[in-house]
Amino acid sequence: QPVVGVSWYEAMAFCKCAGGELPTEAQWEYACRAGTKTKYSFGNDVTMLAEYAWYGSNSEKQTHPVGLKKPNPWGLHDMHGNAWEWCFDGLRKYKSGSITDPLGSTKASAGRVIRGGSWGDSARFVRAAYRYGYHPGYRSGILGCRCRVQ
């Protein structure tokens, strides 16, 4: 099962104990897209989403063991759906133009980015580009983490 029900602070501590760290928002999206530029890592065809993600239409309103759906082109499972994932940095406004590896706010009080969508969300919210944020102390059964190994 994915790690869920943890605050950003707890996710940071978990990743540190595991020898890694939370990915930045940019790193998370890069890993999710796996070299693609489409809505989902497998393309734009939403009818294929159930092959790659646990989301509102197929999850039975619960998380599922990681790895039961097809991976993205880089072999990463559940980047779309199953559980929202905390990112290291805070929300930032996108500016026009190209930016390489941008970083949002790192102030302790800043809301933190979550990515990926969850088992309870529609297809729109599990797209590679969709982002949201919460206070770092927030916990929920749809909110977890994925560690980036250093």
Side-chain angles (χ1 to χ4, degrees):
Q1 296 290 339
V3 172
V4 293
V6 295
S7 70
W8 178 86
Y9 301 111
E10 293 163 333
M12 289 284 288
F14 174 82
C15 289
K16 184 176 181 179
C17 285
E21 59 189 14
L22 286 176
T24 66
E25 180 182 14
Q27 291 166 342
W28 188 96
E29 186 169 336
Y30 181 78
C32 179
R33 289 187 180 280
T36 68
K37 294 183 183 204
T38 52
K39 289 181 184 179
Y40 306 97
S41 62
F42 54 85
N44 291 317
D45 186 357
V46 72
T47 64
M48 294 176 56
L49 185 57
E51 296 176 41
Y52 293 85
W54 294 109
Y55 69 113
S57 294
N58 69 348
S59 69
E60 299 176 349
K61 299 183 180 182
Q62 62 185 353
T63 59
H64 293 269
V66 175
L68 297 179
K69 296 293 184 177
K70 290 180 179 179
N72 74 8
W74 290 351
L76 300 172
H77 289 270
D78 295 349
M79 294 298 292
H80 302 291
N82 213 7
W84 284 98
E85 298 176 6
W86 286 110
C87 294
F88 173 76
D89 45 339
L91 282 171
R92 65 178 181 79
K93 292 187 179 199
Y94 284 129
K95 297 177 182 175
S96 61
S98 179
I99 301 173
T100 301
D101 206 13
L103 184 65
S105 176
T106 58
K107 290 181 183 177
S109 62
R112 300 297 166 158
V113 175
I114 60 172
R115 300 294 295 257
S118 79
W119 54 262
D121 292 308
S122 68
R124 174 179 172 241
F125 298 107
V126 301
R127 291 176 300 119
Y130 193 82
R131 57 202 294 265
Y132 200 70
Y134 280 115
H135 181 276
Y138 182 74
R139 281 190 195 93
S140 169
I142 61 168
L143 184 54
C145 66
R146 177 184 305 259
C147 298
R148 181 179 73 83
V149 180
Q150 299 178 18

